[in-house]
Amino acid sequence: MRNLVATILCLFAITAGAQEEIVFTPQWTAQAQFAGYYVAEAKGFYREAGVKVRIEHPLATQPAMTRLRNNKCQATTLQLCQAMEIVDDGIPLVNILQTSMNNAMVIVSARDKDPLTQKGARVGIWSAGFGQLAICMSIQDHLNYEWVRFAQNVNLFVAGALDATLAMSYNEYYQLVQAGIKMTDKNVYRFCDHGYNVQEDGVYMTRDYYEKHRQQAHRFAQASRKGWEWAAKHPQEALDIVMQYVDRDRIATNRTLQRLMLEEILRLQVDRESKKREFRLRPDMVRQASRLMKSNMMLSREVTYEELISEK
């Protein structure tokens, strides 16, 4: 009888928690960067976990965090450096799931030049953010880059209007390859190989929302992780699901680019040291990012690991 009561209470909690929908906004338009969440929705993992989730993407010119600030979504993906800036700005956030274990950012220079020799170069940077580490690097190494903001795509760089551009190894890097840009060890600077291997994508909620919906948040995170684990085991089927979302939103891309993106995203989820897909925020990377950003005047104070995790 005691077990029966416990089971009924558990089912009641799941059903009650499912009544309130979580609107989840990834930080960019539909693409394989978010494959695990698409899989979790398409394969019914959210439903099985007793949580109702609706995925809504932002506009390319509107940061996903704006939707979170305006209560248009309850969860979003952010890079660690972005999340720390937001916390420093007075909005407490909770990391409920960390997917990235490695940094994906690169600088690509034109005409086979070394980015570290191009002082004062005009360098493309995303208008929606994502470039905090690059700005720190430019200051630290006295490069004094002139940052030129773009919404998306690599057209400015390909047209010769920029000396270099920031790119993600899973996204713009492959766009540049398809555009015929030659990639070598000389003209591609990988942040992860030069002391800047700071984690990127994680799922965040405001602490206020999290504290009021802990069980729902954990079920959402667990189902999302299950989606990523399924995608890693079934990459072709996951790619099929990604393309459904891409086609629905009429995103200008192709299956080859999305396949390359998914392969790279899954690679970046494996920790370099443990060789495992850990799904956790690393305290050492939080400390590294916080100290680096604070020393370069991008944070007013150090943001700690304890501020970001779900248990305080």
Side-chain angles (χ1 to χ4, degrees):
M1 175 63 92
R2 186 175 297 175
N3 289 337
L4 177 61
V5 172
T7 301
I8 292 173
L9 289 174
C10 181
L11 290 173
F12 176 79
I14 289 175
T15 304
Q19 298 307 308
E20 186 170 344
E21 182 179 57
I22 290 179
V23 178
F24 169 58
T25 297
Q27 77 253 46
W28 200 243
T29 54
Q31 57 186 20
Q33 181 181 0
F34 313 115
Y37 312 110
Y38 304 153
V39 166
E41 183 180 57
K43 303 298 288 186
F45 297 156
Y46 291 133
R47 185 176 62 255
E48 291 171 5
V51 59
K52 187 176 181 181
V53 177
R54 177 157 48 95
I55 300 174
E56 290 187 355
H57 292 86
L59 301 174
T61 54
Q62 179 192 54
M65 187 59 200
T66 300
R67 289 178 54 82
L68 196 68
R69 288 175 188 263
N70 296 333
N71 295 317
K72 292 185 177 180
C73 69
Q74 290 72 51
T76 187
T77 53
L78 294 168
Q79 292 187 5
L80 174 57
C81 290
Q82 285 180 293
M84 296 171 80
E85 279 191 328
I86 293 164
V87 170
D88 183 49
D89 197 37
I91 302 176
L93 296 177
V94 176
N95 178 300
I96 64 169
L97 178 69
Q98 183 66 32
T99 55
S100 160
M101 297 302 293
N102 299 282
N103 196 275
M105 194 161 55
V106 303
I107 299 178
V108 180
S109 290
R111 296 174 291 279
D112 204 31
K113 291 185 177 179
D114 183 344
L116 296 182
T117 66
Q118 293 184 287
K119 291 188 177 183
R122 287 169 52 82
V123 181
I125 188 172
W126 302 277
S127 57
F130 316 137
Q132 291 87 349
L133 283 182
I135 295 171
C136 288
M137 184 273 276
S138 175
I139 296 171
Q140 295 252 119
D141 294 347
H142 307 289
L143 293 171
N144 300 317
Y145 286 153
E146 177 188 347
W147 299 106
V148 179
R149 299 198 174 272
F150 62 88
Q152 60 180 334
N153 215 303
V154 294
N155 290 342
L156 280 177
F157 178 74
V158 173
L162 300 173
D163 301 306
T165 190
L166 294 182
M168 291 298 181
S169 64
Y170 54 80
N171 191 4
E172 293 87 1
Y173 180 92
Y174 290 119
Q175 293 179 33
L176 291 169
V177 170
Q178 284 200 341
I181 302 298
K182 184 180 179 182
M183 302 292 197
T184 68
D185 290 339
K186 183 177 180 181
N187 77 320
V188 178
Y189 176 97
R190 297 181 182 274
F191 284 80
C192 63
D193 294 334
H194 295 274
Y196 296 98
N197 193 27
V198 173
Q199 290 171 287
E200 293 182 328
D201 289 3
V203 180
Y204 291 84
M205 291 178 166
T206 64
R207 183 161 289 279
D208 180 64
Y209 182 86
Y210 170 79
E211 295 293 351
K212 296 175 182 176
H213 304 83
R214 282 176 176 254
Q215 290 188 355
Q216 188 182 29
H218 288 303
R219 290 198 299 270
F220 170 58
Q222 290 165 3
S224 297
R225 173 172 177 167
K226 185 177 179 180
W228 278 114
E229 291 171 336
W230 193 95
K233 292 178 181 177
H234 308 88
Q236 289 306 314
E237 294 93 332
L239 183 59
D240 291 339
I241 293 172
V242 168
M243 294 310 297
Q244 292 174 16
Y245 284 79
V246 166
D247 292 342
R248 183 192 67 187
D249 289 359
R250 299 180 181 179
I251 303 300
T253 185
N254 57 66
R255 189 179 179 90
T256 297
L257 278 175
Q258 294 305 311
R259 176 180 59 79
L260 292 169
M261 180 183 292
L262 180 58
E263 290 173 355
E264 179 68 355
I265 285 290
L266 292 173
R267 185 188 72 81
L268 291 165
Q269 290 181 353
V270 177
D271 186 80
R272 284 185 168 191
E273 297 173 12
S274 70
K275 311 300 181 186
K276 296 179 181 179
R277 190 168 279 108
E278 297 188 6
F279 296 102
R280 72 179 179 97
L281 195 61
R282 283 182 45 163
D284 59 325
M285 290 195 182
V286 174
R287 287 193 296 269
Q288 178 189 5
S290 183
R291 291 169 184 171
L292 183 64
M293 293 173 70
K294 183 176 183 296
S295 67
N296 288 287
M297 309 300 289
M298 299 189 73
L299 293 176
S300 64
R301 62 175 179 85
E302 286 196 10
V303 176
T304 67
Y305 170 77
E306 287 73 20
E307 290 180 82
L308 297 173
I309 60 173
S310 57
E311 300 300 331
K312 293 188 70 176

